Amino acid sequence: MSEATDRPVDGDAWADACAEDLAAEKARRRAEYGPPPGSAAEELRKLVDAVADKVSSLQTPLFGLAAPAVQQAIRQAKSAVEPVIERNPQVFDHLAAAGNELLAAYRSAVEGQESRWTRTTEGASGTAGPAKKAADDPSDPRDEGPSGTERIDLD
């Protein structure tokens, strides 16, 4: 028998190797980019603290007269936000995820509109392309815009 078959087989060797690689990659990223952001609740807490510190440090004549009122408003805002964050930290994670989904939907809509606009302007500039062919074909559905608008032929 060979020496390799005499050793007990570790069934989790692949999982262990993957875990080691993942830990090394996380350490590399942490060294390169710094610590990863915390949860949305932690980030909101940091934002509130940063805004409170910035507002407190402003030394303008307007705030100079109202400094006690500003400090009171900051304390009230922090005391109102803290219990909400403590009771519902997962809500902020869901809100952050929803915001990302809305941003993705917006980007998709804008990119689609930009590509339609680009095709239309390329066709109007005389370059041969789908928009030029569409301008020649009145039955093309891309020519149908929102109701109440009129297509202007630039040729």
Side-chain angles (χ1 to χ4, degrees):
M1 258 192 179
S2 72
E3 192 176 309
T5 58
D6 293 341
R7 284 184 281 152
V9 177
D10 185 8
D12 291 336
W14 182 258
D16 292 342
C18 288
E20 289 173 7
D21 288 347
L22 181 61
E25 179 64 17
K26 284 182 179 180
R28 184 191 67 77
R29 286 178 181 254
R30 207 173 4 263
E32 186 174 339
Y33 301 112
S39 70
E42 291 170 2
E43 293 299 315
L44 177 61
R45 200 176 276 126
K46 288 179 189 177
L47 175 65
V48 169
D49 289 341
V51 169
D53 290 344
K54 186 64 177 176
V55 170
S56 297
S57 70
L58 292 175
Q59 299 296 326
T60 63
L62 177 63
F63 284 146
L65 299 174
V70 170
Q71 294 296 328
Q72 177 71 19
I74 291 170
R75 282 193 299 277
Q76 287 176 343
K78 285 178 80 172
S79 67
V81 168
E82 278 298 322
V84 173
I85 293 172
E86 291 296 323
R87 283 191 307 259
N88 307 306
Q90 71 281 1
V91 168
F92 296 99
D93 291 331
H94 290 296
L95 288 173
N100 287 335
E101 291 295 322
L102 286 171
L103 181 60
Y106 175 77
R107 281 184 180 154
S108 175
V110 168
E111 287 172 357
Q113 184 60 36
E114 285 177 345
S115 68
R116 284 190 295 278
W117 181 79
T118 302
R119 283 193 309 259
T120 302
T121 57
E122 286 172 354
S125 67
T127 59
K132 181 68 174 167
K133 293 176 188 170
D136 296 336
D137 182 9
S139 65
D140 192 320
R142 290 180 290 185
D143 288 339
E144 296 175 12
S147 61
T149 61
E150 181 180 334
R151 183 177 173 279
I152 300 173
D153 189 8
L154 299 176
D155 290 334

